[in-house]
Amino acid sequence: LADKPQLILYGPPGTGKTYLALALGEQLRAAGGDFELVQFHPAYTYEDFFEGYRPTPGEAGLGFELVPGALRTLAETARSNPDEPYLLIIDEINRGNLPKVFGELYFLLEYRDHTVTLQYSREEFSLPPNLYVIGTMNTADKSIALVDAALRRRFYFQAMLPTEEPVSLVLRKWMETQERTDDAADLLDELNRRIADSDFSIGPSYLMTPAEWLPQVWEHSIMPLLEEHYYGLGRDVRDEFGLEQLRKQLALGKASGAAGDVANADADTDAAESPEPEPS
């Protein structure tokens, strides 16, 4: 963010993208700055994001007033406090119509030392250097392919994937803090190994629940995701990814691994007890 003040955290659901962005925001707030979160969706517009006219009741009847949106409000606050950091978090950034939402602000994301003329107020406006932007992007949502090159050029991108560190370690580390010894982390690793698709792997936060909730989380959160993802592909999702099926496979794997360890130990013992060959 110090190098490029716009960053996108991307990965499948349950990987802590929004959690991390909010944690960073709370740290900035504790340091004297502040943050704001907005959620993009298909109906979200430039008027919601930056500024637009809103109906306002008055003595002469209904009128219209130019109302600032989340970005303009936070930008003006940051401009008034240049020594403090301010953060705008855009959750699910790829679900909005990005060229329409950002409008002329695309230019300012890249050129913080320039101004543009705003389309409603006709004022000259710039983004202050102490305003940072973090967006979160869900790679399981096919709309990620619609992110245009202009936005990609203006943001750094940081992957948060369940199959790669540090996200791949999160569930085990959390279980250690809870003094849990059940098989939740092994099950998640095996599930993602079978899915074999980093962009659609299952994030650890799904299983960061009490151990006794694991069956219903698997049945009512994870299985519907998989059934939708593999719909029409002729795969038996429940047979392939069901909780009990994965547990049986893990048990078989551990049994075969233990048997292999015993066989290797016996071979080492036999080799050690074999007499040295007589010299010719």
Side-chain angles (χ1 to χ4, degrees), residues 26-183:
E26 293 291 352
Q27 287 197 353
L28 294 184
R29 179 175 284 171
D34 206 353
F35 75 97
E36 183 77 24
L37 182 141
V38 297
Q39 173 101 39
F40 276 12
H41 51 80
Y44 200 79
T45 65
Y46 173 93
E47 290 76 12
D48 300 312
F49 187 53
F50 191 73
E51 66 176 8
Y53 284 98
R54 293 286 184 269
T56 306
E59 294 181 359
L62 192 64
F64 288 89
E65 180 183 358
L66 188 61
V67 177
L71 175 58
R72 176 146 204 188
T73 301
L74 192 62
E76 298 300 349
T77 304
R79 201 185 316 279
S80 301
N81 301 276
D83 296 328
E84 304 296 344
Y86 289 82
L87 173 66
L88 178 67
I89 301 171
I90 305 175
D91 202 33
E92 302 284 2
I93 189 171
N94 54 314
R95 290 183 55 79
N97 185 337
L98 299 181
K100 184 177 180 181
V101 172
F102 276 93
E104 69 271 19
L105 304 174
Y106 260 165
F107 176 81
L108 296 180
L109 290 174
E110 190 168 9
Y111 300 101
R112 292 291 184 103
D113 55 346
H114 287 64
T115 63
V116 296
T117 302
L118 300 174
Q119 59 177 307
Y120 285 111
S121 63
R122 308 308 298 169
E123 297 175 5
E124 292 296 311
F125 179 81
S126 64
L127 286 175
N130 59 324
L131 176 63
Y132 303 92
V133 181
I134 293 181
T136 68
M137 186 175 290
N138 179 5
T139 56
D141 189 336
K142 299 305 180 184
S143 62
I144 188 174
L146 304 179
V147 176
D148 67 353
L151 189 78
R152 291 187 182 276
R153 189 172 71 248
R154 287 162 170 81
F155 280 78
Y156 272 166
F157 284 73
Q158 173 61 48
M160 295 185 67
L161 304 176
T163 54
E164 298 179 8
E165 294 184 8
V167 181
S168 61
L169 305 176
V170 166
L171 183 57
R172 292 186 188 278
K173 287 181 177 292
W174 177 81
M175 289 178 65
E176 289 175 4
T177 68
Q178 304 298 307
E179 299 182 350
R180 290 224 342 230
T181 58
D182 55 274
D183 59 355

Side-chain angles (χ1 to χ4, degrees), residues 183-227:
D183 59 355
D186 292 336
L187 287 166
L188 183 63
D189 290 344
E190 177 64 15
L191 175 63
N192 285 331
R193 186 190 68 78
R194 292 187 176 207
I195 292 173
D197 181 352
S198 294
D199 287 338
F200 185 72
S201 47
I202 303 300
S205 69
Y206 282 98
L207 301 185
M208 294 171 71
T209 60
E212 61 269 21
W213 293 3
L214 178 59
Q216 59 248 48
V217 170
W218 204 278
E219 175 66 23
H220 301 298
S221 290
I222 295 176
M223 293 307 297
L225 279 175
L226 297 171
E227 288 169 346

